[in-house]
mmCIF file of all heavy atoms in Angstrom:
data_model
loop_
_atom_site.group_PDB
_atom_site.id
_atom_site.type_symbol
_atom_site.label_atom_id
_atom_site.label_comp_id
_atom_site.label_asym_id
_atom_site.label_seq_id
_atom_site.Cartn_x
_atom_site.Cartn_y
_atom_site.Cartn_z
ATOM 1 N N ASN A 17 -24.231 59.863 -52.442
ATOM 2 C CA ASN A 17 -24.971 58.675 -52.713
ATOM 3 C C ASN A 17 -26.190 58.571 -51.762
ATOM 4 O O ASN A 17 -25.976 58.775 -50.535
ATOM 5 C CB ASN A 17 -24.074 57.431 -52.464
ATOM 6 C CG ASN A 17 -24.726 56.023 -52.826
ATOM 7 O OD1 ASN A 17 -25.882 55.918 -52.523
ATOM 8 N ND2 ASN A 17 -23.968 55.249 -53.435
ATOM 9 N N LYS A 18 -27.335 58.271 -52.381
ATOM 10 C CA LYS A 18 -28.593 58.349 -51.490
ATOM 11 C C LYS A 18 -28.429 57.424 -50.306
ATOM 12 O O LYS A 18 -28.936 57.701 -49.254
ATOM 13 C CB LYS A 18 -29.785 58.124 -52.359
ATOM 14 C CG LYS A 18 -30.373 59.286 -52.999
ATOM 15 C CD LYS A 18 -31.856 59.115 -53.410
ATOM 16 C CE LYS A 18 -32.245 57.951 -54.072
ATOM 17 N NZ LYS A 18 -33.574 58.034 -54.725
ATOM 18 N N ASN A 19 -27.832 56.268 -50.596
ATOM 19 C CA ASN A 19 -27.697 55.157 -49.456
ATOM 20 C C ASN A 19 -26.737 55.623 -48.395
ATOM 21 O O ASN A 19 -26.735 55.015 -47.412
ATOM 22 C CB ASN A 19 -27.412 53.861 -50.123
ATOM 23 C CG ASN A 19 -28.329 53.436 -51.109
ATOM 24 O OD1 ASN A 19 -29.535 53.507 -50.816
ATOM 25 N ND2 ASN A 19 -27.900 52.814 -52.155
ATOM 26 N N LYS A 20 -25.860 56.654 -48.599
ATOM 27 C CA LYS A 20 -24.827 56.978 -47.674
ATOM 28 C C LYS A 20 -25.032 58.452 -47.263
ATOM 29 O O LYS A 20 -24.123 59.042 -46.691
ATOM 30 C CB LYS A 20 -23.498 56.721 -48.303
ATOM 31 C CG LYS A 20 -23.186 55.360 -48.580
ATOM 32 C CD LYS A 20 -21.731 55.077 -49.136
ATOM 33 C CE LYS A 20 -21.505 53.639 -49.405
ATOM 34 N NZ LYS A 20 -20.120 53.469 -49.935
ATOM 35 N N PHE A 21 -26.180 59.048 -47.442
ATOM 36 C CA PHE A 21 -26.360 60.467 -47.125
ATOM 37 C C PHE A 21 -26.413 60.602 -45.617
ATOM 38 O O PHE A 21 -27.119 59.866 -44.880
ATOM 39 C CB PHE A 21 -27.652 60.934 -47.791
ATOM 40 C CG PHE A 21 -27.871 62.423 -47.548
ATOM 41 C CD1 PHE A 21 -27.008 63.308 -48.229
ATOM 42 C CD2 PHE A 21 -28.744 62.849 -46.658
ATOM 43 C CE1 PHE A 21 -27.126 64.677 -48.019
ATOM 44 C CE2 PHE A 21 -28.930 64.243 -46.515
ATOM 45 C CZ PHE A 21 -28.129 65.170 -47.163
ATOM 46 N N TYR A 22 -25.770 61.623 -45.116
ATOM 47 C CA TYR A 22 -25.734 61.885 -43.713
ATOM 48 C C TYR A 22 -26.809 62.797 -43.296
ATOM 49 O O TYR A 22 -26.843 63.961 -43.572
ATOM 50 C CB TYR A 22 -24.333 62.435 -43.278
ATOM 51 C CG TYR A 22 -23.204 61.581 -43.661
ATOM 52 C CD1 TYR A 22 -22.551 61.759 -44.892
ATOM 53 C CD2 TYR A 22 -22.817 60.595 -42.895
ATOM 54 C CE1 TYR A 22 -21.490 61.054 -45.210
ATOM 55 C CE2 TYR A 22 -21.755 59.756 -43.248
ATOM 56 C CZ TYR A 22 -21.111 59.963 -44.354
ATOM 57 O OH TYR A 22 -20.061 59.132 -44.793
ATOM 58 N N ASN A 23 -27.820 62.311 -42.645
ATOM 59 C CA ASN A 23 -29.013 63.156 -42.402
ATOM 60 C C ASN A 23 -29.057 63.573 -40.872
ATOM 61 O O ASN A 23 -30.074 64.162 -40.474
ATOM 62 C CB ASN A 23 -30.259 62.387 -42.734
ATOM 63 C CG ASN A 23 -30.443 61.033 -41.994
ATOM 64 O OD1 ASN A 23 -29.566 60.682 -41.120
ATOM 65 N ND2 ASN A 23 -31.364 60.265 -42.399
ATOM 66 N N ARG A 24 -28.027 63.156 -40.127
ATOM 67 C CA ARG A 24 -27.973 63.641 -38.755
ATOM 68 C C ARG A 24 -26.938 64.695 -38.572
ATOM 69 O O ARG A 24 -25.814 64.546 -39.091
ATOM 70 C CB ARG A 24 -27.659 62.489 -37.820
ATOM 71 C CG ARG A 24 -27.215 62.881 -36.355
ATOM 72 C CD ARG A 24 -27.217 61.804 -35.370
ATOM 73 N NE ARG A 24 -28.567 61.472 -35.025
ATOM 74 C CZ ARG A 24 -28.927 60.325 -34.309
ATOM 75 N NH1 ARG A 24 -27.997 59.459 -34.081
ATOM 76 N NH2 ARG A 24 -30.132 60.160 -34.000
ATOM 77 N N LEU A 25 -27.294 65.831 -37.882
ATOM 78 C CA LEU A 25 -26.301 66.829 -37.520
ATOM 79 C C LEU A 25 -25.250 66.245 -36.670
ATOM 80 O O LEU A 25 -25.459 65.410 -35.821
ATOM 81 C CB LEU A 25 -26.984 68.044 -36.917
ATOM 82 C CG LEU A 25 -28.008 68.754 -37.842
ATOM 83 C CD1 LEU A 25 -28.565 69.899 -37.062
ATOM 84 C CD2 LEU A 25 -27.327 69.263 -39.062
ATOM 85 N N LEU A 26 -23.989 66.809 -36.811
ATOM 86 C CA LEU A 26 -22.910 66.353 -36.022
ATOM 87 C C LEU A 26 -22.632 67.287 -34.906
ATOM 88 O O LEU A 26 -22.935 68.530 -35.012
ATOM 89 C CB LEU A 26 -21.705 66.127 -36.963
ATOM 90 C CG LEU A 26 -21.824 65.234 -38.054
ATOM 91 C CD1 LEU A 26 -20.560 65.171 -38.936
ATOM 92 C CD2 LEU A 26 -22.096 63.807 -37.549
ATOM 93 N N GLY A 27 -21.957 66.884 -33.904
ATOM 94 C CA GLY A 27 -21.625 67.788 -32.866
ATOM 95 C C GLY A 27 -20.422 67.309 -32.061
ATOM 96 O O GLY A 27 -19.973 66.128 -32.275
ATOM 97 N N VAL A 28 -19.815 68.152 -31.186
ATOM 98 C CA VAL A 28 -18.786 67.771 -30.295
ATOM 99 C C VAL A 28 -19.238 67.639 -28.802
ATOM 100 O O VAL A 28 -19.856 68.528 -28.380
ATOM 101 C CB VAL A 28 -17.625 68.758 -30.376
ATOM 102 C CG1 VAL A 28 -16.524 68.390 -29.405
ATOM 103 C CG2 VAL A 28 -17.099 68.858 -31.841
ATOM 104 N N TYR A 29 -19.273 66.453 -28.342
ATOM 105 C CA TYR A 29 -19.827 66.155 -26.976
ATOM 106 C C TYR A 29 -18.580 65.797 -26.126
ATOM 107 O O TYR A 29 -18.383 64.541 -25.983
ATOM 108 C CB TYR A 29 -20.865 65.117 -27.054
ATOM 109 C CG TYR A 29 -21.948 65.523 -27.957
ATOM 110 C CD1 TYR A 29 -21.998 64.941 -29.311
ATOM 111 C CD2 TYR A 29 -22.997 66.304 -27.617
ATOM 112 C CE1 TYR A 29 -23.015 65.313 -30.221
ATOM 113 C CE2 TYR A 29 -24.039 66.668 -28.527
ATOM 114 C CZ TYR A 29 -24.004 66.136 -29.775
ATOM 115 O OH TYR A 29 -24.983 66.429 -30.646
ATOM 116 N N PRO A 30 -17.870 66.621 -25.506
ATOM 117 C CA PRO A 30 -16.636 66.330 -24.765
ATOM 118 C C PRO A 30 -16.881 65.423 -23.517
ATOM 119 O O PRO A 30 -16.022 64.423 -23.364
ATOM 120 C CB PRO A 30 -16.073 67.615 -24.315
ATOM 121 C CG PRO A 30 -17.135 68.608 -24.498
ATOM 122 C CD PRO A 30 -18.013 68.109 -25.506
ATOM 123 N N LEU A 31 -17.956 65.560 -22.873
ATOM 124 C CA LEU A 31 -18.145 64.784 -21.662
ATOM 125 C C LEU A 31 -18.637 63.367 -22.110
ATOM 126 O O LEU A 31 -18.092 62.370 -21.597
ATOM 127 C CB LEU A 31 -19.271 65.351 -20.747
ATOM 128 C CG LEU A 31 -18.859 66.640 -20.008
ATOM 129 C CD1 LEU A 31 -20.025 67.166 -19.268
ATOM 130 C CD2 LEU A 31 -17.620 66.390 -19.214
ATOM 131 N N ALA A 32 -19.485 63.290 -23.100
ATOM 132 C CA ALA A 32 -19.927 62.032 -23.634
ATOM 133 C C ALA A 32 -18.755 61.214 -24.205
ATOM 134 O O ALA A 32 -18.784 59.917 -24.206
ATOM 135 C CB ALA A 32 -21.057 62.135 -24.640
ATOM 136 N N ALA A 33 -17.795 61.902 -24.786
ATOM 137 C CA ALA A 33 -16.644 61.293 -25.519
ATOM 138 C C ALA A 33 -15.765 60.479 -24.443
ATOM 139 O O ALA A 33 -14.988 59.655 -24.871
ATOM 140 C CB ALA A 33 -15.890 62.276 -26.115
ATOM 141 N N MET A 34 -16.032 60.802 -23.156
ATOM 142 C CA MET A 34 -15.193 60.137 -22.046
ATOM 143 C C MET A 34 -15.801 58.781 -21.740
ATOM 144 O O MET A 34 -15.226 58.078 -20.972
ATOM 145 C CB MET A 34 -15.083 61.018 -20.906
ATOM 146 C CG MET A 34 -14.372 62.376 -21.252
ATOM 147 S SD MET A 34 -14.449 63.525 -19.867
ATOM 148 C CE MET A 34 -13.404 62.582 -18.661
ATOM 149 N N ILE A 35 -17.023 58.457 -22.150
ATOM 150 C CA ILE A 35 -17.714 57.264 -21.766
ATOM 151 C C ILE A 35 -17.164 56.068 -22.461
ATOM 152 O O ILE A 35 -17.082 56.106 -23.700
ATOM 153 C CB ILE A 35 -19.181 57.366 -21.956
ATOM 154 C CG1 ILE A 35 -19.785 58.531 -21.130
ATOM 155 C CG2 ILE A 35 -19.926 55.978 -21.641
ATOM 156 C CD1 ILE A 35 -21.272 58.721 -21.339
ATOM 157 N N ASN A 36 -16.753 55.056 -21.723
ATOM 158 C CA ASN A 36 -16.109 53.805 -22.368
ATOM 159 C C ASN A 36 -17.278 52.952 -22.902
ATOM 160 O O ASN A 36 -18.420 53.006 -22.578
ATOM 161 C CB ASN A 36 -15.312 53.190 -21.360
ATOM 162 C CG ASN A 36 -13.967 53.803 -21.153
ATOM 163 O OD1 ASN A 36 -13.404 54.409 -22.031
ATOM 164 N ND2 ASN A 36 -13.481 53.847 -19.841
ATOM 165 N N HIS A 37 -16.727 51.969 -23.708
ATOM 166 C CA HIS A 37 -17.607 50.973 -24.309
ATOM 167 C C HIS A 37 -17.878 49.702 -23.474
ATOM 168 O O HIS A 37 -16.974 49.290 -22.755
ATOM 169 C CB HIS A 37 -16.932 50.583 -25.653
ATOM 170 C CG HIS A 37 -17.581 49.291 -26.327
ATOM 171 N ND1 HIS A 37 -18.633 49.255 -26.984
ATOM 172 C CD2 HIS A 37 -17.181 47.964 -26.107
ATOM 173 C CE1 HIS A 37 -19.004 48.104 -27.361
ATOM 174 N NE2 HIS A 37 -18.074 47.215 -26.863
ATOM 175 N N SER A 38 -19.023 49.091 -23.635
ATOM 176 C CA SER A 38 -19.270 47.813 -23.131
ATOM 177 C C SER A 38 -20.293 47.192 -24.083
ATOM 178 O O SER A 38 -21.160 47.903 -24.588
ATOM 179 C CB SER A 38 -19.906 47.847 -21.803
ATOM 180 O OG SER A 38 -20.323 46.481 -21.359
ATOM 181 N N CYS A 39 -20.148 45.872 -24.325
ATOM 182 C CA CYS A 39 -21.053 45.225 -25.229
ATOM 183 C C CYS A 39 -22.408 44.848 -24.454
ATOM 184 O O CYS A 39 -23.411 44.443 -25.131
ATOM 185 C CB CYS A 39 -20.466 43.929 -25.768
ATOM 186 S SG CYS A 39 -19.097 44.178 -26.896
ATOM 187 N N SER A 40 -22.365 44.975 -23.160
ATOM 188 C CA SER A 40 -23.646 45.000 -22.369
ATOM 189 C C SER A 40 -23.640 46.263 -21.519
ATOM 190 O O SER A 40 -23.431 46.165 -20.272
ATOM 191 C CB SER A 40 -23.668 43.708 -21.561
ATOM 192 O OG SER A 40 -24.842 43.583 -20.814
ATOM 193 N N PRO A 41 -24.005 47.340 -22.122
ATOM 194 C CA PRO A 41 -23.789 48.680 -21.390
ATOM 195 C C PRO A 41 -25.015 48.954 -20.432
ATOM 196 O O PRO A 41 -25.972 48.313 -20.418
ATOM 197 C CB PRO A 41 -23.980 49.643 -22.589
ATOM 198 C CG PRO A 41 -24.837 48.918 -23.542
ATOM 199 C CD PRO A 41 -24.556 47.545 -23.498
ATOM 200 N N ASN A 42 -24.745 49.916 -19.562
ATOM 201 C CA ASN A 42 -25.722 50.295 -18.534
ATOM 202 C C ASN A 42 -26.310 51.639 -18.938
ATOM 203 O O ASN A 42 -27.131 52.216 -18.157
ATOM 204 C CB ASN A 42 -25.142 50.366 -17.190
ATOM 205 C CG ASN A 42 -23.997 51.255 -17.029
ATOM 206 O OD1 ASN A 42 -23.728 52.137 -17.877
ATOM 207 N ND2 ASN A 42 -23.147 51.046 -16.049
ATOM 208 N N ALA A 43 -26.064 52.177 -20.209
ATOM 209 C CA ALA A 43 -26.635 53.437 -20.568
ATOM 210 C C ALA A 43 -26.710 53.524 -22.039
ATOM 211 O O ALA A 43 -26.064 52.728 -22.840
ATOM 212 C CB ALA A 43 -25.778 54.657 -20.076
ATOM 213 N N VAL A 44 -27.459 54.470 -22.619
ATOM 214 C CA VAL A 44 -27.565 54.689 -24.087
ATOM 215 C C VAL A 44 -27.548 56.095 -24.356
ATOM 216 O O VAL A 44 -27.728 56.977 -23.403
ATOM 217 C CB VAL A 44 -28.920 54.083 -24.623
ATOM 218 C CG1 VAL A 44 -28.963 52.566 -24.522
ATOM 219 C CG2 VAL A 44 -30.092 54.734 -23.938
ATOM 220 N N ARG A 45 -27.296 56.489 -25.583
ATOM 221 C CA ARG A 45 -27.400 57.904 -25.953
ATOM 222 C C ARG A 45 -28.845 58.324 -26.319
ATOM 223 O O ARG A 45 -29.522 57.516 -27.009
ATOM 224 C CB ARG A 45 -26.441 58.110 -27.173
ATOM 225 C CG ARG A 45 -25.061 57.887 -26.967
ATOM 226 C CD ARG A 45 -24.133 57.996 -28.172
ATOM 227 N NE ARG A 45 -24.419 56.909 -29.177
ATOM 228 C CZ ARG A 45 -23.796 55.723 -29.132
ATOM 229 N NH1 ARG A 45 -23.063 55.393 -28.106
ATOM 230 N NH2 ARG A 45 -24.126 54.814 -29.991
ATOM 231 N N VAL A 46 -29.143 59.593 -26.066
ATOM 232 C CA VAL A 46 -30.423 60.089 -26.485
ATOM 233 C C VAL A 46 -30.187 61.577 -26.983
ATOM 234 O O VAL A 46 -29.522 62.293 -26.288
ATOM 235 C CB VAL A 46 -31.460 60.177 -25.190
ATOM 236 C CG1 VAL A 46 -32.779 60.731 -25.723
ATOM 237 C CG2 VAL A 46 -31.638 58.813 -24.597
ATOM 238 N N PHE A 47 -30.641 61.723 -28.209
ATOM 239 C CA PHE A 47 -30.466 63.001 -28.800
ATOM 240 C C PHE A 47 -31.871 63.757 -28.707
ATOM 241 O O PHE A 47 -32.880 63.202 -28.999
ATOM 242 C CB PHE A 47 -30.100 62.851 -30.281
ATOM 243 C CG PHE A 47 -28.661 62.395 -30.547
ATOM 244 C CD1 PHE A 47 -28.393 60.942 -30.614
ATOM 245 C CD2 PHE A 47 -27.615 63.343 -30.556
ATOM 246 C CE1 PHE A 47 -27.185 60.584 -30.832
ATOM 247 C CE2 PHE A 47 -26.311 62.814 -30.654
ATOM 248 C CZ PHE A 47 -26.135 61.431 -30.817
ATOM 249 N N SER A 48 -31.795 65.027 -28.215
ATOM 250 C CA SER A 48 -32.929 65.802 -28.074
ATOM 251 C C SER A 48 -32.644 67.262 -28.327
ATOM 252 O O SER A 48 -31.426 67.672 -28.521
ATOM 253 C CB SER A 48 -33.420 65.622 -26.662
ATOM 254 O OG SER A 48 -34.639 66.360 -26.481
ATOM 255 N N SER A 49 -33.593 68.173 -28.385
ATOM 256 C CA SER A 49 -33.417 69.538 -28.443
ATOM 257 C C SER A 49 -33.614 70.271 -27.211
ATOM 258 O O SER A 49 -34.487 69.920 -26.406
ATOM 259 C CB SER A 49 -34.326 70.125 -29.525
ATOM 260 O OG SER A 49 -34.064 69.548 -30.860
ATOM 261 N N PHE A 50 -32.742 71.198 -26.861
ATOM 262 C CA PHE A 50 -32.876 71.992 -25.745
ATOM 263 C C PHE A 50 -32.588 73.420 -25.995
ATOM 264 O O PHE A 50 -31.381 73.712 -26.487
ATOM 265 C CB PHE A 50 -31.958 71.477 -24.599
ATOM 266 C CG PHE A 50 -31.998 72.261 -23.401
ATOM 267 C CD1 PHE A 50 -33.091 72.152 -22.442
ATOM 268 C CD2 PHE A 50 -31.010 73.055 -22.961
ATOM 269 C CE1 PHE A 50 -33.089 72.877 -21.273
ATOM 270 C CE2 PHE A 50 -30.966 73.798 -21.812
ATOM 271 C CZ PHE A 50 -32.064 73.667 -20.930
ATOM 272 N N GLU A 51 -33.412 74.324 -25.863
ATOM 273 C CA GLU A 51 -33.224 75.786 -26.130
ATOM 274 C C GLU A 51 -32.683 75.957 -27.557
ATOM 275 O O GLU A 51 -31.749 76.701 -27.885
ATOM 276 C CB GLU A 51 -32.295 76.393 -25.088
ATOM 277 C CG GLU A 51 -32.835 76.353 -23.673
ATOM 278 C CD GLU A 51 -31.895 77.057 -22.624
ATOM 279 O OE1 GLU A 51 -30.811 77.392 -23.015
ATOM 280 O OE2 GLU A 51 -32.417 77.373 -21.564
ATOM 281 N N GLY A 52 -33.236 75.262 -28.561
ATOM 282 C CA GLY A 52 -32.942 75.406 -29.895
ATOM 283 C C GLY A 52 -31.606 74.707 -30.283
ATOM 284 O O GLY A 52 -31.130 74.831 -31.468
ATOM 285 N N LYS A 53 -31.011 73.951 -29.475
ATOM 286 C CA LYS A 53 -29.762 73.278 -29.785
ATOM 287 C C LYS A 53 -30.020 71.722 -29.570
ATOM 288 O O LYS A 53 -30.754 71.294 -28.771
ATOM 289 C CB LYS A 53 -28.642 73.696 -28.840
ATOM 290 C CG LYS A 53 -28.300 75.153 -28.955
ATOM 291 C CD LYS A 53 -27.174 75.526 -27.937
ATOM 292 C CE LYS A 53 -26.833 77.033 -28.019
ATOM 293 N NZ LYS A 53 -25.850 77.424 -27.126
#
Side-chain angles (χ1 to χ4, degrees):
N17 182 322
K18 274 203 312 192
N19 296 325
K20 295 183 179 180
F21 185 72
Y22 303 94
N23 56 10
R24 165 168 283 167
L25 295 178
L26 303 175
V28 178
Y29 306 97
L31 293 178
M34 298 173 65
I35 298 177
N36 285 323
H37 164 84
S38 171
C39 295
S40 183
N42 56 21
V44 294
R45 297 177 288 279
V46 181
F47 290 93
S48 185
S49 294
F50 178 73
E51 295 183 349
K53 298 179 181 180

